[in-house]
Amino acid sequence: MSDLTQLEYSRTQSTVTDSTSSDEARGLILTAAQAADDRKAVDIVLLQVSEVCYLADYFAIVTGFSNVQVRAISQAIADQVEEEWGRLPLRTQGLSDASWVVMDYGDAIIHIMKPQEREFYNLEAFWGHADRIDFSPAP
């Protein structure tokens, strides 16, 4: 197979699976947001970054008010996503300090931050050109 043909084949295959993968990533990020809300996370922001970033399709940014709460939110997300989607994070960073925990699911990345870190790094402004996804916590 020539290089051009291989490239065209790869693009075709990627197009076929991207919508399914994107639907799953959207469901995963909504599950994570609900799990975070169940642990009293606040200011939950969901961003669809697939058009502006190659790292992932979706980001979630949530706030917890203490190291213990940040860890609890992270654990709740991991448990709920594993239960509903059968997936574990590829990587989780920041649990020891727990002022900013990042959970990487590949197509969805979740940031759990304390208020000081969230204000300082201001990820919403950095990714301000991404589409926001409406999330309403369950009553």
Side-chain angles (χ1 to χ4, degrees), residues 41-82:
V42 297
D43 199 15
I44 298 171
V45 174
L46 304 179
L47 302 172
Q48 181 176 5
V49 296
S50 57
E51 298 297 319
V52 296
C53 171
Y54 67 89
L55 295 174
D57 292 336
Y58 294 93
F59 283 174
I61 307 166
V62 307
T63 299
F65 292 102
S66 69
N67 297 11
V68 172
Q69 185 186 19
V70 167
R71 284 188 194 102
I73 293 167
S74 171
Q75 189 61 54
I77 291 170
D79 292 346
Q80 196 64 35
V81 168
E82 182 179 11

Side-chain angles (χ1 to χ4, degrees), residues 27-28 30-32 34-35 78-87:
L28 188 148
L30 289 169
T31 298
Q34 188 58 55
D79 292 346
Q80 196 64 35
V81 168
E82 182 179 11
E83 182 179 315
E84 289 187 28
W85 296 96
R87 291 180 57 184

Side-chain angles (χ1 to χ4, degrees), residues 86-98:
R87 291 180 57 184
L88 295 171
L90 302 172
R91 287 175 278 310
T92 299
Q93 294 291 318
L95 281 173
S96 61
D97 181 44

Side-chain angles (χ1 to χ4, degrees), residues 22-39:
S22 183
D23 290 345
E24 182 177 324
R26 185 180 179 95
L28 188 148
I29 208 75
L30 289 169
T31 298
Q34 188 58 55
D37 181 64
D38 291 346
R39 287 292 177 179

Side-chain angles (χ1 to χ4, degrees), residues 29-30 32-34 36-37 41-49 58-64 70 73 77 99-103 108-115 117-128 130-133 135:
I29 208 75
L30 289 169
Q34 188 58 55
D37 181 64
V42 297
D43 199 15
I44 298 171
V45 174
L46 304 179
L47 302 172
Q48 181 176 5
V49 296
Y58 294 93
F59 283 174
I61 307 166
V62 307
T63 299
V70 167
I73 293 167
I77 291 170
S99 59
W100 180 358
V101 172
V102 179
M103 302 176 75
I109 298 176
I110 301 147
H111 300 270
I112 310 160
M113 308 168 92
K114 288 173 54 181
E117 285 75 9
R118 185 153 180 186
E119 183 180 343
F120 181 79
Y121 291 102
N122 200 5
L123 294 181
E124 293 94 330
F126 186 78
W127 296 105
D131 293 331
R132 282 190 180 226
I133 298 175
F135 171 72

